[in-house]
């Protein structure tokens, strides 16, 4: 492994790690009742990730990364789709028989998943017209 590829790998790992830290900090600190700390750490981590890309000389991501991103996105949408197809009808049935109550968190998650698929559907329609 050359110095350039080691340096690139380090920068790529830092970039991914900072984005993961951002998401975990926002969700975790909000969960533990410290949402403003979560937002603060999120902003710091995102700015750090952006600084990593700005300071790296040359391309940090290439066609292989774009291919991995497309495949990971497809698997993620499929996983959430199958999960939603099982979980939300089950929760609705449990609600109908009085064994579950829709709280703010489950309602927000259900609506968020629905919005993801609406955005996906609209994006797919727009892209299909371009191709």
């Amino acid at each position: 492994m050359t110095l350039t590829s080691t340096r690139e790998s380090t920068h790529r790992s830092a970039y991914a790690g900072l984005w993961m830290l951002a998401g975990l900090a926002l969700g975790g600190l909000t969960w533990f009742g410290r949402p403003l700390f979560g937002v603060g750490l999120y902003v710091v981590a995102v700015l750090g990730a952006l600084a990593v890309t700005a300071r790296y000389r040359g391309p940090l991501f290439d066609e292989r990364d774009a291919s991995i991103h497309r495949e990971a996105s497809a698997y993620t949408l499929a996983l959430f789709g199958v999960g939603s197809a099982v979980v939300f009808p089950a929760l609705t049935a449990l609600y109908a028989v009085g064994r579950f109550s829709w709280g703010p968190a489950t309602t927000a998650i259900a609506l968020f998943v629905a919005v993801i698929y609406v955005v996906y559907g609209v994006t797919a329609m727009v892209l299909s017209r371009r191709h």
Side-chain angles (χ1 to χ4, degrees):
M1 186 176 278
T2 67
L3 179 59
T4 302
S5 63
T6 302
R7 210 168 146 257
E8 179 182 335
S9 176
T10 301
H11 279 76
R12 291 162 62 102
S13 295
Y15 177 83
L18 286 165
W19 273 106
M20 284 188 264
L21 173 64
L24 290 171
L26 183 60
L29 289 170
T30 299
W31 176 273
F32 289 111
R34 307 300 256 170
L36 290 179
F37 287 115
V39 170
L41 189 51
Y42 176 87
V43 168
V44 169
V46 168
L47 290 174
L50 295 175
V52 166
T53 59
R55 294 183 53 88
Y56 185 76
R57 302 279 185 231
L60 193 55
F61 302 102
D62 57 20
E63 306 82 29
R64 183 179 57 98
D65 298 304
S67 175
I68 291 168
H69 174 69
R70 280 190 301 275
E71 192 172 351
S73 297
Y75 280 117
T76 301
L77 277 175
L79 179 64
F80 273 84
V82 170
S84 298
V86 172
V87 170
F88 291 113
L91 292 179
T92 303
L94 290 171
Y95 171 75
V97 298
R99 304 296 253 164
F100 176 78
S101 62
W102 286 96
T106 51
T107 301
I109 292 168
L111 292 174
F112 183 74
V113 170
V115 167
I116 287 173
Y117 281 96
V118 168
V119 170
Y120 172 80
V122 169
T123 304
M125 287 187 328
V126 168
L127 290 174
S128 70
R129 290 188 178 139
R130 286 181 31 196
H131 292 289

